[in-house]
Amino acid sequence: MLRLYDSRLSGNAWKVRILLTQLGLPFERVTLDLAKGATADPAFRAKSRFARVPVLELDDGRTIVESAAIMLYLAEGTRFLPDDRFLRAEVTSWLTFEQADLLRALALPRFYRMRGVADQMASRIADFQEGAYPALAKADAWLSGHDWLVDDRYTIADIGLFGYVSMAHQGGYEMERFRSIAAWLARVKAQPGWVPLVEEADA
Ligand SMILES: N[C@@H](CCC(=O)N[C@@H](CS)C(=O)NCC(=O)O)C(=O)O
């Protein structure tokens, strides 16, 4: 069976969990305690060359790291990834944009708030916001003319962007500025098989 190494509040692992669930693929979940330094464990380091979750372990023991790589692997040949070469490049383009322009800028302010250190990190948060607000505006502009990011249908591009954008307000972002993003987030959440970050049994 597939095995997903994640952590309870990781948005990157959440993306993979949403996709696995929507694909109907059974998987075993191994939830690491990042606060206790679980990613430094040599056994985990042997599975994750970057010492981070998510990690997908295949039946044969090989592992895939990086949420975008995992999603591209899982989505191959499914409705979540177009066959057309150009459209696949479009999917990769959104996944790359999310990682380069949004991931840290959205995730770290949320993390600082969760840890109660947002006040000390105020100038860092302001720097993140300076970069992320224009990137969010670009996504909002695209979504003002499209229901979905690629090919007018739900793909892993949507799952990839959804993860941290849906939690940006937890890091202090004023997401009410982005009405098209808000409508798109609701569409993603309404997809069959969508799962919340923290499931009730786990809350
Ligand atoms: N680009 C990576 C980022 C993964 C990442 O940042 N993972 C965090 C949790 S969301 C992590 O494992 N951090 C290591 C640690 O806190 O020890 C991806 O998309 O998978």
Side-chain angles (χ1 to χ4, degrees):
M1 186 188 290
L2 293 170
R3 184 175 292 148
L4 175 67
Y5 293 86
D6 68 3
S7 76
R8 201 166 155 272
L9 298 178
S10 162
N12 290 306
W14 184 28
K15 300 168 192 172
V16 177
R17 236 164 2 95
I18 291 172
L19 180 60
L20 281 165
T21 309
Q22 292 185 327
L23 284 168
L25 290 172
F27 63 99
E28 181 189 344
R29 190 173 170 192
V30 180
T31 300
L32 305 188
D33 190 341
L34 299 188
K36 290 196 177 141
T39 52
D41 175 47
F44 180 73
R45 296 293 285 264
K47 296 181 191 297
S48 172
R49 71 177 78 93
F50 303 138
R52 296 193 295 231
V53 295
V55 176
L56 184 72
E57 187 169 14
L58 308 181
D59 290 340
D60 62 9
R62 288 181 298 167
T63 53
I64 306 173
V65 294
E66 291 292 320
S67 58
I70 297 169
M71 287 194 292
L72 285 163
Y73 173 82
L74 289 171
E76 184 80 38
T78 76
R79 68 185 173 89
F80 296 90
L81 182 64
D83 291 334
D84 178 82
R85 188 177 178 186
F86 177 80
L87 294 174
R88 292 164 73 93
E90 295 267 282
V91 169
T92 309
S93 146
W94 279 107
L95 294 175
T96 311
F97 169 75
E98 187 268 348
Q99 293 277 308
D101 290 42
L102 289 172
L103 170 57
R104 284 171 60 79
L106 302 186
L108 289 177
R110 168 179 173 258
F111 178 75
Y112 299 147
R113 281 192 163 198
M114 285 184 329
R115 289 287 143 94
V117 296
D119 287 348
Q120 291 103 292
M121 302 307 278
S123 92
R124 188 124 200 259
I125 291 174
D127 287 346
F128 279 135
Q129 289 185 346
E130 196 182 315
Y133 273 126
L136 288 166
K138 289 174 195 169
D140 196 60
W142 177 265
L143 288 165
S144 70
H146 303 84
D147 278 355
W148 303 107
L149 296 177
V150 177
D151 198 25
D152 279 333
R153 62 183 166 117
Y154 178 66
T155 68
I156 55 170
D158 298 289
I159 302 178
L161 196 68
F162 173 85
Y164 280 99
V165 170
S166 73
M167 299 191 287
H169 62 284
Q170 296 173 14
Y173 282 87
E174 294 166 5
M175 293 305 288
E176 52 283 356
R177 294 187 196 181
F178 305 113
R179 301 182 77 90
S180 300
I181 287 180
W184 165 80
L185 289 174
R187 285 192 290 278
V188 174
K189 277 191 183 179
Q191 287 299 298
W194 179 87
V195 287
L197 175 66
V198 179
E199 293 177 61
E200 267 173 49
D202 190 33

